[in-house]
């Protein structure tokens, strides 16, 4: 591992720093491009520096030099990025360069080595510090990556604030798509008194060729692959679209026999779970990968690793190109030049197009990159139909009439002219939008000597029109009055003063953590549901991806519709009932008014992600593991998003619920959740463990599972999962959901028909299958432990408490260890008297 040379501050003059960094580049085999060297010299001269060079031109090396120059001179430096994932990635790469003792990370979720001389942080972290401390922030160098985010309507303020409020800092701003930077330069010069330099490079290190294709997508891909223009990143504009496109390529013969064999060898031993995992495996064996944020991290990394080895010909992904992906992409194929932005369909902006096109052709891998845009699908079909008709007419001398296919409803079209305009145009001017909210005012008021003029002066400096300045001041006045009425700030003479210490975390990425602490006082520790109620409290403050809740609601409506049809209700009545159905919201009647009361004293939290919901609680109550939950609610396409949510809930439970508020049952739930996350994909917990090694006090390490042990080594959790697997089937049987039971067990020989025959016989005898707390108890399940196989009997709870019907199953322990999930086979379902069972060992 090559590390940067530490130079004593008294010897760190310009020549020494420049020469030491040059030796570092030589050891890595790097020769800086002229634009890189120009930026390095500008930084060395003390200028604020804007690096507006194309993707792949080495901006990361410039950022590293800026941080190194400050480090050697004893000046604290910040590196900021828009996403926690990018901050984390940069954190680990800088550790390689500077050593773990010299690099810290602050994301709002956690602080690691927060006093280090080099800090990686999300943009909002530094922005909030700049609002609160201004020129007193301990930061002499600020490197802001992806600076084009300054134009983001909701987050751009975080990139603008440091430029306005940190006169002590030297700034390095980086992006491939900045457009006109004159206003940004003026702002930095006015704030810091430093000159501003702009480094551009009209010539990409790897030049791009552009092509507009009117061939079918499959024909375009065949051409690219056969003409040595792979790997190809095919851009869709939704996760579902990326998966559908990849699946459609299974019928296209792209990879050779040898290429498929090489992939098969490379993925040998990798565990692909049921559902999307098996689908991905099939795609990879055809030389096709998928990459988007809804996938499990382990699958995204596998795709990246295979691409780095040159084993994938096509990667189908979203227009984000899988933020942080670091693979050699030779060609970018755009399936369209329009996208849905959450409100409407619109054409790509020049900046969006340049961000996508810039991914093609990687320095060190390619000599050229290729950007191809597909014509609209209906246009291609019409052109092919016209060509076919023309050929037929030439053959029999008769003109054939072609019935043209119309564009889909709501379609926003594009053409080759659109493509050419995007290529030739300059990126739109960056227009940052400042926002004023409760946290902005509280941060500004927290400054010593702050008064009304402090807020007014700050607004006047922002990049807004005079009319907009007036709007912001009126907003600030309204918020200020509400904070005074809430008793959070007060006037003392000419000064505005906070009446309480809000703490450093109040405006960060877990703003509702204080509500969790307050909400615990509402819960009864003696209640049978206390542990689940704590889970519901934490879930109400944890944002969840919309597709997860939609999958839940769709399943609930589907089941309800089946019941309504069985009851004979007419269509209008059924639809009226379905329209009123909502997803589960445990404790909503308690938490919603409590939250309204809470934000009266904490009004800046009104914009927080408060929403009663039941995902983790639903998994527990329905005795479902990750795989069962994914299958039951048809969430295979967003399993990575679900895992991230489970991880956030786990983190909130371990960080925000004090140890003395945790009962044994709640501790067991936390342990189970951590094990579930680790077995599904341990990468997030691996990262936590690494971070914990650097800063042991930052994490509740007693909650983190041992990632090196087998699933079955944790006997308590493994036994609980076996019990859950059996009782989940009881719950499905109680609903007569034979299709789901068949999905679970058909591969083991017990299909939906077998389940229906057995359970309907039970209903004929007893009429009702009980699933209450008693039915979940230990007296209804027994387990015989073997070294390789466990034999399990789940007794069915009948109204007469006869306990004479049961489900018998065997658990394959080695297979469960390998899969990270319970692998079992149903042996029989029916009257116990019909089949002897020797088990007398309890589930404990």
């Amino acid at each position: 591992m090559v590390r940067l040379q530490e130079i004593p501050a008294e010897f760190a003059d310009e020549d020494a720093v420049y020469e030491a960094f040059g030796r570092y580049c030589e050891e890595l085999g790097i020769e800086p491009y002229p634009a890189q060297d120009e930026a390095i010299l500008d930084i060395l001269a003390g200028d604020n520096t804007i690096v507006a060079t194309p993707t792949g031109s080495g901006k990361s090396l410039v950022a590293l030099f800026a941080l190194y120059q400050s480090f050697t001179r004893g000046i604290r430096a910040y590196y900021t990025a828009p996403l926690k994932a990018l901050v984390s990635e940069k954190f680990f790469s800088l550790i390689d360069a500077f050593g773990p003792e010299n690099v810290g990370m602050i994301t709002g979720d956690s602080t690691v080595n927060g006093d280090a001389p080099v800090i990686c942080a999300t943009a909002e972290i530094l922005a909030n510090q700049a609002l609160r401390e201004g020129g007193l922030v301990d930061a002499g160098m600020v490197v802001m990556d992806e600076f084009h985010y300054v134009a983001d309507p909701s987050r751009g303020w975080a990139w603008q604030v440091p430029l306005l409020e940190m006169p002590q800092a030297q700034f390095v701003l980086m992006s491939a798509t900045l457009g006109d930077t004159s206003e940004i330069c003026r702002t930095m010069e006015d704030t810091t008194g430093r000159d501003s330099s702009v480094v551009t490079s009209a010539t990409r290190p790897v030049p791009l060729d552009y092509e507009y294709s009117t061939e079918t997508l499959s024909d375009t891909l065949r051409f690219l692959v056969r003409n040595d223009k792979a790997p190809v990143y095919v851009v869709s504009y939704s996760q579902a679209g990326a998966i559908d496109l990849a699946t459609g390529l299974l019928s296209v013969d792209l990879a050779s026999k040898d290429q498929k064999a090489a992939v098969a060898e490379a993925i040998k031993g990798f565990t692909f779970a049921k559902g999307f995992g098996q689908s991905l495996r099939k795609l990879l064996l055809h030389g096709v990968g998928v990459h988007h944020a809804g996938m499990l991290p382990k699958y995204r990394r596998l795709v990246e690793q295979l691409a780095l080895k040159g084993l994938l010909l096509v990667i189908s992904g979203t227009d984000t190109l899988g933020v942080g992906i670091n693979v050699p992409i030779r060609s970018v194929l755009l399936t369209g030049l329009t996208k849905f932005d959450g409100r409407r369909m619109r054409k790509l902006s020049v900046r969006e197009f340049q961000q996508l096109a810039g991914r093609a052709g990687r320095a060190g891998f390619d000599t050229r990159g290729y950007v191809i845009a597909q014509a609209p699908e209906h246009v291609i079909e019409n052109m092919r139909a016209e060509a076919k008709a023309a050929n037929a007419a030439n053959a029999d001398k008769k003109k054939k009439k072609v019935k043209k296919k119309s564009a889909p409803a709501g379609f926003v079209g594009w053409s080759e002219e659109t493509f050419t305009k995007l290529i030739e145009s300059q990126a739109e001017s960056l227009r940052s939008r400042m926002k004023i909210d409760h946290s902005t005012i509280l941060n500004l008021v927290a400054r010593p000597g702050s008064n009304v003029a402090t807020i007014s002066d700050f607004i006047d400096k922002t990049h807004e029109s005079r009319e907009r300045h007036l709007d912001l001041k009126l907003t600030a006045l309204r918020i200020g009055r509400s904070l005074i009425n809430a008793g959070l700030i007060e006037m003392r003479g000419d000064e505005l003063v906070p009446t309480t210490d809000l703490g450093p975390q109040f405006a960060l990425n877990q703003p509702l953590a204080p509500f969790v602490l307050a909400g615990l006082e509402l819960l009864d520790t003696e209640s049978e549901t206390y542990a689940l109620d704590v889970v519901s409290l934490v879930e109400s403050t944890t944002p969840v991806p919309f597709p997860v809740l939609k999958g839940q609601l769709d399943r609930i409506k589907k089941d309800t519709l089946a019941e309504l049809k069985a009851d004979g209700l007419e269509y209008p009545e059924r639809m009226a009932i379905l329209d009123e159905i909502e997803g589960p919201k445990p404790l909503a009647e308690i938490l919603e008014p409590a939250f309204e009361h809470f934000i009266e004293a904490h009004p800046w939290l009104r914009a927080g992600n408060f929403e009663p919901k039941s995902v983790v609680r639903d998994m527990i109550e329905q005795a479902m593991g990750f795989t069962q939950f994914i299958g039951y609610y048809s969430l295979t396409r967003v399993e990575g998003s679900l895992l991230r949510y489970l991880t956030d809930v786990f983190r909130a439970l371990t960080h925000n619920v004090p140890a003395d508020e945790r009962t044994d049952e709640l501790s067991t739930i936390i342990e189970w959740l951590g094990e579930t996350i680790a077995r599904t994909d341990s990468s997030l917990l691996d990262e936590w463990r690494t971070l914990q090694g650097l800063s042991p006090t930052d994490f509740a390490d007693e909650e983190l599972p041992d990632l090196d042990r087998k699933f079955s080594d944790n006997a308590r959790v493994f036994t609980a999962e076996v019990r859950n697997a059996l009782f989940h089937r009881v719950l499905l049987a109680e609903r007569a959901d034979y299709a789901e039971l068949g999905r679970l067990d058909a591969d083991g020989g017990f299909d939906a028909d077998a389940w229906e025959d057995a359970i309907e016989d039970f209903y004929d005898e007893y009429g009702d299958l009980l699933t209450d707390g008693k039915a979940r108890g230990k007296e209804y399940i027994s387990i015989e432990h073997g070294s390789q196989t466990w034999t399990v009997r789940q007794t069915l709870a009948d109204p007469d408490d006869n306990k004479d019907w049961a489900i018998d199953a065997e658990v394959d322990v080695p297979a469960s260890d390998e899969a990270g999930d319970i692998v079992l086979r149903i042996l029989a379902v029916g009257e116990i008297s019909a089949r002897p069972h020797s088990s007398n060992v309890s589930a404990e």
Side-chain angles (χ1 to χ4, degrees):
M1 181 185 301
V2 179
R3 282 195 176 158
L4 287 160
Q5 177 187 350
E6 290 194 40
I7 305 173
E10 60 268 26
F11 300 114
D13 59 22
E14 286 86 351
D15 290 340
V17 173
Y18 185 78
E19 290 172 4
F21 193 76
R23 288 193 295 271
Y24 171 79
C25 291
E26 287 179 11
E27 290 183 60
L28 292 176
I30 297 173
E31 183 177 350
Y33 299 123
Q36 289 174 307
D37 202 45
E38 179 186 351
I40 286 171
L41 291 172
D42 288 337
I43 294 167
L44 201 59
D47 291 356
N48 295 314
T49 305
I50 297 177
V51 186
T53 58
T55 302
S57 61
K59 289 185 285 294
S60 294
L61 188 71
V62 176
L64 182 62
F65 175 79
L67 299 173
Y68 176 60
Q69 178 209 230
S70 297
F71 174 69
T72 58
R73 295 177 175 179
I75 299 171
R76 200 169 195 224
Y78 270 71
Y79 166 92
T80 72
L83 302 177
K84 286 185 282 187
L86 292 180
V87 172
S88 177
E89 179 183 323
K90 180 61 71 171
F91 170 68
F92 286 111
S93 70
L94 291 179
I95 283 175
D96 291 340
F98 290 100
E101 69 279 6
N102 294 317
V103 184
M105 179 171 71
I106 308 174
T107 65
D109 285 344
S110 60
T111 297
V112 179
N113 202 16
D115 294 326
V118 177
I119 294 292
C120 301
T122 44
E124 283 81 357
I125 296 293
L126 182 61
N128 279 314
Q129 285 184 267
L131 285 170
R132 209 167 195 180
E133 302 175 36
L136 299 179
V137 176
D138 184 12
M141 169 65 73
V142 175
V143 178
M144 304 180 81
D145 207 352
E146 307 293 340
F147 189 75
H148 57 273
Y149 266 79
V150 74
D152 186 277
S154 62
R155 299 183 63 198
W157 68 274
W159 278 260
Q160 184 182 159
V161 164
L163 304 186
L164 303 173
E165 297 298 314
M166 295 179 62
Q168 76 280 22
Q170 178 182 1
F171 290 95
V172 176
L173 315 179
M174 304 190 303
S175 174
T177 56
L178 287 180
D180 181 13
T181 60
S182 55
E183 184 177 19
I184 298 168
C185 287
R186 283 195 300 272
T187 298
M188 291 192 296
E189 290 169 356
D190 290 345
T191 300
T192 67
R194 297 173 183 267
D195 291 336
S196 293
S197 299
V198 180
V199 177
T200 60
S201 174
T203 305
R204 276 177 53 97
V206 179
L208 296 179
D209 290 342
Y210 297 92
E211 181 183 345
Y212 189 75
S213 175
T214 55
E215 301 295 325
T216 65
L217 179 66
S218 57
D219 285 345
T220 301
L221 283 170
R222 283 194 188 94
F223 174 82
L224 293 173
V225 170
R226 291 171 183 173
N227 286 271
D228 197 29
K229 295 181 180 180
V232 184
Y233 203 109
V234 186
V235 180
S236 297
Y237 298 96
S238 69
Q239 295 177 6
I243 296 173
D244 290 341
L245 191 150
T247 303
L249 295 178
L250 289 174
S251 60
V252 182
D253 190 18
L254 295 175
S256 67
K257 185 177 180 180
D258 289 343
Q259 288 170 325
K260 293 177 181 178
V263 173
E265 181 63 28
I267 64 175
K268 187 183 294 183
F270 187 90
T271 301
F272 293 90
K274 290 182 179 179
F276 179 74
Q278 294 299 319
S279 299
L280 178 62
R281 181 179 184 277
K282 188 175 182 181
L283 289 168
L284 294 176
L285 290 172
H286 279 75
V288 177
V290 180
H291 197 288
H292 63 71
M295 295 167 59
L296 293 178
K298 66 179 181 181
Y299 293 147
R300 291 203 304 270
R301 283 198 310 277
L302 176 64
V303 171
E304 292 166 9
Q305 290 164 359
L306 293 175
L308 281 168
K309 294 176 182 178
L311 297 178
L312 296 182
L313 299 173
V314 175
I315 304 171
S316 178
T318 56
D319 59 325
T320 61
L321 289 190
V323 174
I325 186 172
N326 182 28
V327 298
I329 298 167
R330 187 163 295 167
S331 300
V332 170
L333 174 58
L334 306 172
T335 59
L337 298 177
T338 62
K339 65 180 287 186
F340 182 71
D341 64 6
R343 297 184 297 109
R344 61 187 177 88
M345 286 295 298
R346 60 167 176 79
K347 293 179 180 178
L348 296 179
S349 68
V350 177
R351 176 168 289 103
E352 288 170 331
F353 172 77
Q354 290 179 351
Q355 286 286 332
L356 293 169
R359 301 290 180 174
R362 296 295 300 272
F365 293 97
D366 304 308
T367 56
R368 301 196 75 80
Y370 305 91
V371 181
I372 306 93
Q374 285 288 110
E377 188 174 339
H378 70 279
V379 171
I380 294 173
E381 291 185 18
N382 289 338
M383 291 178 66
R384 291 168 68 88
E386 288 174 350
K388 184 177 180 180
N391 289 335
N394 290 335
D396 59 15
K397 309 300 183 182
K398 293 181 181 180
K399 187 175 182 180
K400 302 289 184 181
K401 186 176 181 180
V402 177
K403 184 178 180 180
K404 291 189 175 182
K405 187 174 181 179
S406 300
F411 179 76
V412 175
W414 68 90
S415 64
E416 188 168 6
E417 182 181 355
T418 309
F419 186 49
T420 301
K421 188 175 181 180
L422 288 170
I423 296 168
E424 295 176 350
S425 299
Q426 294 293 317
E428 298 84 0
S429 297
L430 294 173
R431 294 189 67 246
S432 177
R433 294 299 244 167
M434 180 56 63
K435 70 173 184 178
I436 299 293
D437 56 19
H438 290 82
S439 65
T440 310
I441 301 302
L442 285 166
N443 272 317
L444 289 169
V445 169
R447 292 185 183 183
S450 177
N451 54 32
V452 173
T454 304
I455 300 170
S456 179
D457 292 346
F458 168 74
I459 293 173
D460 285 338
K461 288 188 291 186
T462 62
H463 301 165
E464 303 288 347
S465 65
R466 292 182 62 183
E467 293 79 8
R468 177 69 177 153
H469 282 161
L470 179 59
D471 290 341
L472 291 175
K473 288 179 181 180
L474 290 173
T475 300
L477 179 62
R478 185 175 67 254
I479 292 172
R481 285 173 177 166
S482 73
L483 292 172
I484 290 173
N485 292 336
L488 292 170
I489 61 176
E490 63 183 14
M491 293 292 298
R492 294 180 187 170
D494 293 333
E495 291 188 18
L496 285 170
V497 181
T499 59
T500 182
D501 182 7
L502 299 168
Q505 298 294 317
F506 81 97
L508 303 184
N509 295 348
Q510 288 183 315
L512 296 184
F515 177 68
V516 172
L517 292 174
L520 289 171
E521 298 178 8
L522 302 174
L523 306 181
D524 180 6
T525 56
E526 301 301 320
S527 169
E528 291 183 357
T529 62
Y530 172 75
L532 291 175
D533 292 344
V534 174
V535 171
S536 292
L537 172 62
V538 168
E539 287 202 85
S540 74
T541 64
T542 307
V544 64
F546 172 74
V548 175
L549 295 183
K550 184 177 184 300
Q552 261 189 323
L553 186 58
D554 287 348
R555 176 68 193 228
I556 293 169
K557 287 187 173 183
K558 175 184 174 184
D559 293 345
T560 303
L561 180 60
E563 293 174 7
L564 296 176
K565 285 183 177 179
D567 292 340
L569 270 71
E570 297 295 327
Y571 178 81
E573 296 175 275
R574 298 199 302 264
M575 293 302 102
I577 292 172
L578 291 178
D579 286 343
E580 296 296 320
I581 292 178
E582 294 182 326
K585 296 182 178 181
L587 300 186
E589 69 284 356
I590 297 174
L591 296 179
E592 287 176 347
F595 183 71
E596 287 299 317
H597 178 72
F598 187 78
I599 60 176
E600 289 179 8
H602 308 80
W604 65 89
L605 296 181
R606 185 173 291 278
N609 289 289
F610 174 79
E611 181 185 14
K613 66 187 77 71
S614 180
V615 176
V616 176
R617 182 168 183 156
D618 192 29
M619 292 175 71
I620 296 167
E621 291 182 325
Q622 297 210 59
M624 288 192 285
F626 185 86
T627 304
Q628 289 76 35
F629 193 87
I630 288 288
Y632 188 72
Y633 290 116
S634 302
L635 299 175
T636 54
R637 291 187 169 185
V638 292
E639 58 185 10
S641 300
L642 174 63
L643 181 68
R644 169 58 66 181
Y645 173 75
L646 298 185
T647 306
D648 289 343
V649 173
F650 173 79
R651 193 177 197 118
L653 284 167
T654 57
H655 286 195
N656 299 338
V657 179
D660 57 4
E661 299 282 354
R662 301 182 197 174
T663 61
D664 289 343
E665 183 181 1
L666 180 56
S667 294
T668 299
I669 287 173
I670 294 172
E671 182 183 12
W672 162 80
L673 186 56
E675 290 276 359
T676 297
I677 295 165
R679 292 198 314 274
T680 303
D681 188 338
S682 67
S683 59
L684 296 175
L685 293 180
D686 277 326
E687 180 180 317
W688 291 358
R689 187 167 62 173
T690 302
L691 296 179
Q692 186 183 330
L694 294 172
S695 184
T697 60
D698 283 329
F699 297 96
D701 59 337
E702 72 275 7
E703 311 299 348
L704 295 176
D706 181 352
L707 303 179
D708 296 323
R709 68 186 175 196
K710 294 184 296 184
F711 180 18
S712 61
D713 285 345
N714 187 334
R716 182 169 68 164
V717 171
F718 190 78
T719 299
E721 290 282 38
V722 170
R723 295 176 62 185
N724 284 343
L726 269 295
F727 198 76
H728 179 56
R729 287 162 170 81
V730 174
L731 292 170
L732 293 173
E734 190 273 334
R735 299 176 201 144
D737 194 345
Y738 304 122
E740 181 67 14
L741 286 164
R743 189 187 68 81
L744 291 174
D745 297 317
D747 290 345
F750 217 86
D751 61 14
D753 290 339
W755 271 107
E756 182 173 5
D757 290 343
I759 297 302
E760 289 303 319
D761 285 346
F762 176 88
Y763 280 127
D764 288 342
E765 180 168 347
Y766 288 110
D768 196 12
L769 173 59
L770 305 183
T771 58
D772 56 12
K774 183 179 178 182
R776 292 174 178 261
K778 299 174 185 176
E779 63 180 297
Y780 283 86
I781 190 165
S782 60
I783 301 175
E784 288 183 353
H785 301 81
S787 60
Q788 302 294 309
T789 303
W790 289 11
T791 305
V792 188
R793 169 165 290 173
Q794 173 68 58
T795 301
L796 303 182
D798 61 81
D800 299 334
D801 202 22
N802 287 331
K803 300 187 182 73
D804 56 356
W805 283 66
I807 303 171
D808 284 350
E810 61 180 17
V811 177
D812 187 330
V813 177
S816 300
D817 284 334
E818 182 177 351
D821 198 6
I822 299 298
V823 177
L824 61 77
R825 183 170 67 90
I826 301 298
L827 301 176
V829 180
E831 290 187 81
I832 293 174
S833 60
R835 56 195 199 292
H837 181 64
S838 60
S839 173
N840 56 10
V841 182
S842 78
E844 296 300 301

